[in-house]
Amino acid sequence: MLTAFKAQPIVELRPRDKSKIESILAFGDRLLVGLNTGSLRIYRVNEHQEAASDVNQETTLSAPASRPDLRPVELLRELEKFSRRAILQLAVIKESDLLISLTDSYVSIHDLQTYTLQEQLSKTKGAETFAVTSNIVKDPANDIPSIVSRLAVSVKRKLIVWSWHDTELSQQPHEITLQANARTLTWASGTNIVCGMNSGYVLVNIETEEIQDLAAPGSVGNAVGQETGRFGGVGSAGMGYMGMGNWVPKPQSARLINGEILLARDINTLFVDKEGVPLERRQIPWSVAPEAISFTYPYLLALQTPSKGILDIRSPDTQSLLQSIPLQNASILHVPQPNVSLAHAGKGFLIGSERCIWKMKAVAYESQVDELVEKGLLDEAISLLDLLEDALFKNKPGRLREIKMQKAVELFGRQKYRESLDLFTTVTAPPDQVIGLYPPAISGDLQEYHSAENGDDQSSHHQAIIVNEEVGEAVNVDANEPAVKIIKSDNKNGTLDSGSTHSSKKRSNNGDVVSIFGKHSKSIKKSWDSKELRTAALELNGFLVDTRKRYMNPDGSLKTQGSSSVITTTEGDSTIPFHSLNLPPDRDLDSKNEAELKETARLVDTTLFRSYMLAAPSLAGSLFRIPNFCDPDVVNEKLLDSGRYNDLVDFLHGKKLHRRALDLLLKFGQAKDDDDRAPSLRGPRRTVGYLQNLPPEHIDLILEFARWPLNQEPDLGMEIFVADTENAETLPRDKVVNFLQECDPLIATKYLEHIIQELNDLNPEFHNLLVKLYLERLKPPEVEKRHKSTGLLDMLKMRASEKPSRAGQFRDIEEREEWKAKMQSFLRTSKQYTPHKAFGRLPEDDPEFYEARAIVLSKMGQHRQALKIYVFDLKDQQKAEEYCNRIYVAQESAVPQSAQQSCRLSSSADPEDGPPSIYHTLLSLYLTPPPPHQANWPPALDLLSKHGARLPAYSTLDLIPATLPVKQLESYFGSRIRAANSIVNESRVLTGLHKSELVDTQAALLLGNGIKPGKGRNRHVVISEERVCGVCHKRLGRSVISVLPE
């Protein structure tokens, strides 16, 4: 058991002294002892002899050389006539310098310095007990703090309370009537007091005089199956006491920390808060009813009956019995105030019997914790550290963390994996030490390394686990057995460190910490079965995931904590910040080595992968789809062995090992049909998807592995370059075009169409190249030159039979016409290609490219040459007219609208000095064609009838021979007249509109626009003597006035 206190007798009555000790009181260095004879003895408590001999050695130089040993106490005086009867109870109110005593059924007030009687409270006749308290209270009116002391006395069925405010006694005491006589009083707070009666407990508010019944001890927290007797009592004490002379056990109560109150009746207990609400706490396992209970920070005290004379010391948290001290005939328990605060820590308390008083001296708290840990009472050590304040230890957080880690390892050894890993997570245990508790199937080489480091030279093989990750099963095989070891550190500061797989040895050399695999550790050898190992692995997953959250950001970077150091997550990745993975709060980040941090991250993620593969293989893929530090070699080996190729591809992609991933996809994508290892990877689809996700900086790798999908499924392979993704749009287009030309000019053409028409690429080189590819596709191959006399359909059949290159193949005439239309449309709409280069590539004598030549000539501005092709080569007057319409509209749109209107309205005559109309050029080709062509009157007359108004009259009539009948020009003259009339009418309408606009403008200027009256030139402002400026608020008077528009 624990040695928390040591008993030292300080007062012993002499054998001849017939007096008996009835009450004791300790305050400061004074000890007051009340006897049954009414005498009061005052002692001075001396410091311990050893401690006193070390204090101020210089002051003893003038003292005699031989000084007698100091006694524990020294009798200062004895007041034999302090009272006529036994002194049953003593208390002190230090703030008012008062001594309170209960004797002869009265409560009396004495001076604390002279011990003379000041007043005997007459209202306390028949008093049984009293209780005092002092508290600092702020005045609600002015918020000034003051000390308020209260004395509560139990007198028959009344509770009488006196109050002192800053040493001044209040005029009248409070009298509160109770249901029965209160046998014990315990202050719960400055205004609430617990009264223990035979019938139960009540909580009394002194200010409001409100009385609240409390639940009887035993009614809350009973064990299942127990039957409660009277007042919730169980056992012999709960039988009603009918055969024991109506004896009722004295109700006990004690104030604990955090405002809790312990109520005790017989062997039953109940914990309540300061408001009287019962707490969900189990009962204290007392075998017999205690004589007295109290609390000394941080322990619960219970004094057994004088016949036993045993003092029990328990933890209020765990309620375990920590120490039993035998004290002969002890019956008095006195704990100096304040007994629930840090100020009482280590002060001790007093135990008294009729003949002796013992001082209970507290052992140093650090020694108590060490003793509990040494005896294996880890729960009690943790509870004690939780109860005590940080100021009582050199490093409480580190010590508490160390003990909790020992508890976690102990739970692990008892196969309580969930509780163990939860505790490891709570204390942020170093991951390498937790992982080392597992067999090599999970920990890998970590456990073997620790075994070698600890001098484990066993060459024999023990029981371990080999896991089939595909089905999640484990079987026992012959391998090295793991050792579960208990932490045992000699470090009193409790500093534990974390780090990489191989960092434990380095840290143990400097004396900071001894790992759980240290040489002084106790090994627990065990054999793992498959079910047990899977259960342990599932619990480990939660710990590792929590560890990852502590050191990794969602974007894959390691978190920072006051450091500018950086490391890299994966091969080839950019540098990112990091922080200490599992360092205690008092360790500085700069003391960690960057390589060790990265190695620890690698250990955590690799172990998490192994654990997933053992317990839940389906979860392994989710780890690879996020940034991780897994060891590529370990993951590659295990996933290949288990046939999880999809997960392996995801992992390699996350680690930026793209070549290895693409080699794997190439291997299984081109696998034969009888290879059933990875059916989901067969074909180019998965490779295409992988390449689509690669950024543009991997263009060489993309082009290298895009060749086989393009050869196998061109349409699918083109998705790498034409998909609607950012990666596809930002690829280096010149490299892609060159690569696709090498593969197939047809798919290069498709890519150029995509970037020009959909992505609006204005690079002239791409436009010129697309024209070139169009022409190469449409130009007849050499075989067709030998069959010029053959028809087009027969030519296509010959081309298909002789199997020319893919770029020149067409399925039918419709496909060829479609490509021809695309080329002509591109030549017509694109403004980026070079017309001279395109015209040089077009065949001169091939009818298939006549229209294309006309389009290019139009781009070059040679409209007459273009129209010659339409009129004389193609002999298509409709296309010639459409061509003129397009050119005319383009020329008109290039002229500003205002210039067009002024030109039309200036005169109805033709501007002969302007540039010749495109229609005039076409008319001249019809009427005066170059030899050997003849004049073509029908299309010329049709052109005159449709577009005569757009032709200059003078030059047009010069082209018409005199022999032509005027009747045939009727439509031409009619159109000219209608055009002139429309111009005149349009000018009249515009003139009227301008006049109306002028009238409206003049009216608005003179009178306003009618919407806001007072506008215009007739607007006026009246300036009176009272008118002030709206901005500066000065009187205007005869000042210069400026009126704002609004």
Side-chain angles (χ1 to χ4, degrees):
M1 301 183 71
L2 174 66
T3 303
F5 296 93
K6 293 181 180 180
Q8 178 189 11
I10 58 175
V11 175
E12 295 186 44
L13 300 183
R14 296 177 181 179
R16 294 181 181 181
D17 192 348
K18 303 302 181 182
S19 303
K20 295 181 181 180
I21 299 175
E22 292 289 343
S23 60
I24 54 180
L25 173 64
F27 63 96
D29 62 345
R30 294 293 186 267
L31 172 62
L32 306 183
V33 180
L35 304 179
N36 63 339
T37 60
S39 299
L40 180 67
R41 295 180 180 178
I42 300 97
Y43 295 89
R44 181 177 62 192
V45 180
N46 297 319
E47 295 293 336
H48 194 275
Q49 178 181 355
E50 298 176 359
S53 61
D54 296 334
V55 177
N56 200 358
Q57 300 267 341
E58 296 179 359
T59 60
T60 62
L61 296 178
S62 60
S66 60
R67 181 180 179 182
D69 294 339
L70 292 175
R71 296 179 180 179
V73 295
E74 181 181 351
L75 180 62
L76 298 179
R77 59 187 296 192
E78 180 177 359
L79 303 177
E80 295 183 353
K81 296 182 180 181
F82 185 81
S83 174
R84 294 179 300 173
R85 296 182 182 274
I87 305 174
L88 302 180
Q89 189 177 356
L90 294 170
V92 64
I93 302 178
K94 294 181 62 177
E95 293 75 16
S96 301
D97 208 18
L98 300 176
L99 174 65
I100 312 297
S101 66
L102 173 60
T103 178
D104 196 16
S105 299
Y106 281 94
V107 174
S108 303
I109 301 176
H110 306 263
D111 184 87
L112 187 59
Q113 301 298 328
T114 62
Y115 304 104
T116 58
L117 179 64
Q118 290 185 354
E119 182 183 359
Q120 186 180 60
L121 302 178
S122 58
K123 291 186 177 183
T124 62
K125 182 179 179 180
E128 184 170 348
T129 185
F130 68 86
V132 298
T133 184
S134 297
N135 301 276
I136 298 177
V137 179
K138 289 185 177 181
D139 189 346
N142 50 27
D143 203 28
I144 298 177
S146 62
I147 299 178
V148 178
S149 302
R150 287 188 173 93
L151 168 63
V153 184
S154 171
V155 182
K156 298 180 181 179
R157 293 192 175 186
K158 289 184 178 181
L159 180 67
I160 306 176
V161 181
W162 284 266
S163 300
W164 285 263
H165 294 266
D166 289 334
T167 71
E168 294 184 3
L169 179 63
S170 59
Q171 295 297 327
Q172 294 295 330
H174 289 276
E175 294 188 11
I176 302 172
T177 303
L178 304 177
Q179 297 178 354
N181 185 21
R183 300 182 62 185
T184 58
L185 298 175
T186 302
W187 286 98
S189 63
T191 57
N192 293 339
I193 187 171
V194 177
C195 303
M197 304 173 292
N198 291 338
S199 58
Y201 291 86
V202 293
L203 181 66
V204 181
N205 189 295
I206 301 303
E207 295 179 345
T208 62
E209 298 185 2
E210 180 182 356
I211 301 176
Q212 175 186 351
D213 292 330
L214 301 180
S219 60
V220 178
N222 283 331
V224 179
Q226 288 184 344
E227 297 181 1
T228 59
R230 183 184 180 187
F231 309 123
V234 295
S236 61
M239 297 181 181
Y241 315 104
M242 294 299 295
M244 305 175 65
N246 288 333
W247 176 82
V248 179
K250 182 180 180 180
Q252 304 284 348
S253 60
R255 183 182 176 185
L256 311 179
I257 58 176
N258 299 326
E260 296 182 2
I261 306 295
L262 171 63
L263 309 179
R265 163 77 70 78
D266 198 3
I267 61 173
N268 300 305
T269 58
L270 175 67
F271 292 88
V272 297
D273 59 14
K274 61 182 180 181
E275 303 298 334
V277 180
L279 303 176
E280 294 294 335
R281 302 275 294 276
R282 63 186 181 89
Q283 296 194 30
I284 299 176
W286 282 326
S287 58
V288 293
E291 180 72 13
I293 63 173
S294 186
F295 178 82
T296 178
Y297 184 87
Y299 294 112
L300 178 63
L301 308 177
L303 184 62
Q304 303 297 338
T305 57
S307 60
K308 290 181 175 293
I310 297 176
L311 176 65
D312 290 343
I313 301 173
R314 296 178 180 270
S315 168
D317 186 18
T318 63
Q319 301 179 1
S320 301
L321 180 62
L322 301 178
Q323 185 179 8
S324 291
I325 304 176
L327 301 169
Q328 186 177 3
N329 300 325
S331 59
I332 303 173
L333 173 59
H334 173 69
V335 180
Q337 299 295 324
N339 62 329
V340 296
S341 66
L342 179 62
H344 186 68
K347 298 297 183 180
F349 55 94
L350 301 176
I351 300 293
S353 65
E354 293 180 351
R355 308 290 300 175
C356 181
I357 298 177
W358 294 271
K359 182 178 181 180
M360 310 305 296
K361 302 177 64 176
V363 179
Y365 290 121
E366 289 193 355
S367 300
Q368 296 182 32
V369 173
D370 293 340
E371 184 179 354
L372 289 172
V373 173
E374 183 178 357
K375 293 180 178 180
L377 302 175
L378 301 179
D379 289 330
E380 302 300 332
I382 294 173
S383 174
L384 179 59
L385 284 168
D386 288 335
L387 292 173
L388 294 173
E389 299 291 338
D390 294 355
L392 300 175
F393 294 89
K394 296 180 181 179
N395 183 13
K396 175 185 171 180
R399 184 66 169 143
L400 183 60
R401 181 172 183 256
E402 177 188 355
I403 297 175
K404 285 185 177 181
M405 288 184 62
Q406 296 183 46
K407 179 63 179 178
V409 177
E410 179 188 354
L411 292 172
F412 193 92
R414 290 189 285 154
Q415 302 180 14
K416 296 183 178 181
Y417 303 116
R418 173 167 295 183
E419 294 85 348
S420 174
L421 271 299
D422 288 346
L423 192 53
F424 275 132
T425 302
T426 302
V427 301
T428 63
D432 58 338
Q433 298 188 8
V434 178
I435 296 169
L437 300 173
Y438 284 82
I442 293 179
S443 61
D445 298 335
L446 177 65
Q447 193 273 333
E448 296 177 3
Y449 172 80
H450 282 301
S451 297
E453 189 180 73
N454 298 332
D456 186 6
D457 55 352
Q458 298 179 358
S459 59
S460 60
H461 295 281
H462 301 281
Q463 197 74 8
I465 303 296
I466 294 297
V467 181
N468 184 344
E469 291 86 349
E470 184 68 23
V471 297
E473 296 181 354
V475 295
N476 294 328
V477 297
D478 193 17
N480 288 330
E481 181 182 26
V484 180
K485 304 191 175 185
I486 305 297
I487 303 173
K488 186 172 183 179
S489 174
D490 296 331
N491 177 23
K492 297 299 185 294
N493 295 333
T495 304
L496 289 177
D497 206 348
S498 64
S500 66
T501 305
H502 308 297
S503 61
S504 298
K505 182 177 181 180
K506 298 178 182 178
R507 292 193 298 274
S508 62
N509 291 337
N510 58 20
D512 287 343
V513 66
V514 177
S515 168
I516 57 176
F517 299 97
K519 296 181 179 180
H520 303 288
S521 299
K522 179 181 178 182
S523 299
I524 303 177
K525 296 290 183 179
K526 63 177 292 184
S527 175
W528 297 81
D529 58 31
S530 59
K531 182 178 180 181
E532 179 185 355
L533 184 57
R534 280 197 297 269
T535 302
L538 286 173
E539 302 303 332
L540 178 64
N541 294 344
F543 169 78
L544 296 177
V545 170
D546 183 79
T547 303
R548 293 187 86 254
K549 292 179 181 179
R550 291 199 302 270
Y551 73 78
M552 181 177 287
N553 293 312
D555 61 353
S557 61
L558 293 176
K559 295 180 180 178
T560 60
Q561 187 178 3
S563 175
S564 59
S565 303
V566 293
I567 62 173
T568 57
T569 51
T570 56
E571 292 77 357
D573 197 2
S574 58
T575 57
I576 56 174
F578 73 98
H579 84 119
S580 176
L581 303 184
N582 295 299
L583 290 179
D586 59 340
R587 286 294 302 272
D588 191 273
L589 175 64
D590 295 335
S591 63
K592 285 296 297 176
N593 183 273
E594 298 179 7
E596 289 187 356
L597 283 174
K598 184 177 179 181
E599 190 65 26
T600 302
R602 181 187 296 269
L603 171 65
V604 171
D605 285 359
T606 305
T607 305
L608 182 59
F609 161 70
R610 289 195 182 101
S611 182
Y612 278 154
M613 293 300 295
L614 173 65
S618 59
L619 297 178
S622 61
L623 179 63
F624 305 146
R625 298 183 186 98
I626 59 177
N628 62 83
F629 287 83
C630 292
D631 189 344
D633 296 332
V634 174
V635 175
N636 184 73
E637 178 183 358
K638 284 197 171 289
L639 292 180
L640 285 178
D641 294 343
S642 60
R644 305 184 70 86
Y645 303 108
N646 281 299
D647 292 340
L648 180 56
V649 171
D650 293 337
F651 169 74
L652 294 175
H653 180 272
K655 302 297 286 185
K656 301 189 185 310
L657 301 175
H658 302 304
R659 180 171 294 277
R660 293 175 60 177
L662 291 170
D663 287 335
L664 185 66
L665 291 174
L666 176 61
K667 174 183 176 182
F668 290 105
Q670 296 181 343
K672 298 181 180 179
D673 295 338
D674 55 354
D675 189 352
D676 57 351
R677 289 180 297 174
S680 61
L681 300 181
R682 191 173 302 158
R685 183 170 298 277
R686 187 63 189 278
T687 301
V688 171
Y690 192 98
L691 294 176
Q692 285 179 328
N693 291 324
L694 291 183
E697 54 264 23
H698 296 283
I699 182 61
D700 295 334
L701 196 64
I702 294 174
L703 298 181
E704 178 182 351
F705 286 91
R707 189 179 298 273
W708 77 271
L710 289 171
N711 293 334
Q712 193 167 0
E713 294 186 27
D715 293 338
L716 178 62
M718 280 300 296
E719 291 297 321
I720 302 172
F721 309 104
V722 300
D724 188 14
T725 61
E726 183 179 359
N727 288 340
E729 294 178 4
T730 55
L731 290 175
R733 295 173 183 175
D734 52 347
K735 292 186 177 181
V736 175
V737 170
N738 295 334
F739 167 75
L740 294 178
Q741 277 189 284
E742 297 175 1
C743 295
D744 190 345
L746 185 60
I747 58 178
T749 303
K750 183 177 180 181
Y751 178 73
L752 288 172
E753 290 175 347
H754 170 74
I755 62 175
I756 292 175
Q757 299 174 5
E758 297 186 16
L759 303 183
N760 195 26
D761 194 308
L762 302 180
N763 190 340
E765 295 183 2
F766 293 152
H767 287 250
N768 289 328
L769 181 58
L770 182 58
V771 173
K772 177 183 176 183
L773 293 177
Y774 276 145
L775 292 176
E776 290 178 354
R777 174 107 168 113
L778 291 170
K779 280 183 180 180
E782 294 296 330
V783 65
E784 295 179 2
K785 294 182 180 181
R786 299 192 299 266
H787 302 281
K788 288 187 177 181
S789 60
T790 308
L792 181 59
L793 181 59
D794 294 335
M795 186 185 303
L796 292 173
K797 291 181 180 179
M798 292 179 184
R799 185 184 305 170
S801 62
E802 296 190 14
K803 296 182 180 179
S805 63
R806 181 178 174 182
Q809 291 181 356
F810 293 104
R811 292 189 300 270
D812 48 29
I813 298 178
E814 287 76 9
E815 183 182 4
R816 180 181 178 87
E817 292 299 324
E818 180 182 351
W819 275 80
K820 180 179 176 181
K822 287 197 301 182
M823 182 189 69
Q824 294 176 359
S825 175
F826 179 74
L827 292 174
R828 185 177 294 112
T829 57
S830 175
K831 299 180 180 180
Q832 304 302 322
Y833 71 91
T834 306
H836 293 84
K837 292 183 179 180
F839 188 77
R841 293 191 180 101
L842 291 170
E844 298 181 4
D845 54 351
D846 192 341
E848 293 292 326
F849 298 98
Y850 283 165
E851 186 171 359
R853 289 173 61 85
I855 295 173
V856 175
L857 288 172
S858 175
K859 289 287 184 180
M860 299 168 62
Q862 299 182 12
H863 302 300
R864 185 176 184 83
Q865 300 299 326
L867 287 174
K868 283 184 178 180
I869 294 176
Y870 284 114
V871 174
F872 302 122
D873 294 337
L874 293 176
K875 295 181 174 56
D876 192 336
Q877 290 79 16
Q878 183 178 357
K879 288 186 177 182
E881 185 179 351
E882 292 175 354
Y883 177 83
C884 292
N885 292 337
R886 288 195 299 270
I887 299 301
Y888 181 82
V889 172
Q891 292 175 349
E892 289 291 318
S893 60
V895 180
Q897 187 70 21
S898 58
Q900 295 179 15
Q901 291 181 358
S902 61
C903 182
R904 288 197 307 268
L905 299 178
S906 61
S907 175
S908 60
D910 298 326
E912 295 293 342
D913 55 347
S917 172
I918 185 65
Y919 296 103
H920 184 273
T921 303
L922 179 60
L923 182 63
S924 64
L925 291 177
Y926 284 149
L927 298 179
T928 59
H933 302 285
Q934 299 295 326
N936 195 352
W937 285 101
L941 294 176
D942 183 66
L943 181 65
L944 287 174
S945 63
K946 291 180 179 180
H947 305 285
R950 299 174 179 175
L951 294 171
Y954 183 77
S955 58
T956 301
L957 293 176
D958 286 343
L959 295 176
I960 300 175
T963 58
L964 182 68
V966 178
K967 184 174 179 60
Q968 294 185 5
L969 298 176
E970 179 181 1
S971 59
Y972 167 70
F973 290 120
S975 63
R976 293 286 302 178
I977 295 172
R978 286 192 298 271
N981 290 336
S982 65
I983 293 175
V984 173
N985 293 335
E986 183 179 356
S987 64
R988 290 176 179 175
V989 172
L990 289 176
T991 302
L993 291 175
H994 288 160
K995 289 181 179 180
S996 176
E997 182 181 8
L998 177 61
V999 172
D1000 292 342
T1001 303
Q1002 291 176 347
L1005 178 63
L1006 296 175
L1007 305 175
N1009 54 11
I1011 299 177
K1012 294 183 179 180
K1015 303 294 182 180
R1017 291 181 176 177
N1018 65 345
R1019 178 185 178 188
H1020 64 279
V1021 178
V1022 178
I1023 305 298
S1024 61
E1025 294 182 356
E1026 293 80 11
R1027 189 72 178 266
V1028 296
C1029 177
V1031 178
C1032 63
H1033 304 289
K1034 291 183 179 180
R1035 189 181 301 277
L1036 296 179
R1038 298 182 178 180
S1039 302
V1040 177
I1041 306 302
S1042 176
V1043 180
L1044 301 178
E1046 297 295 335

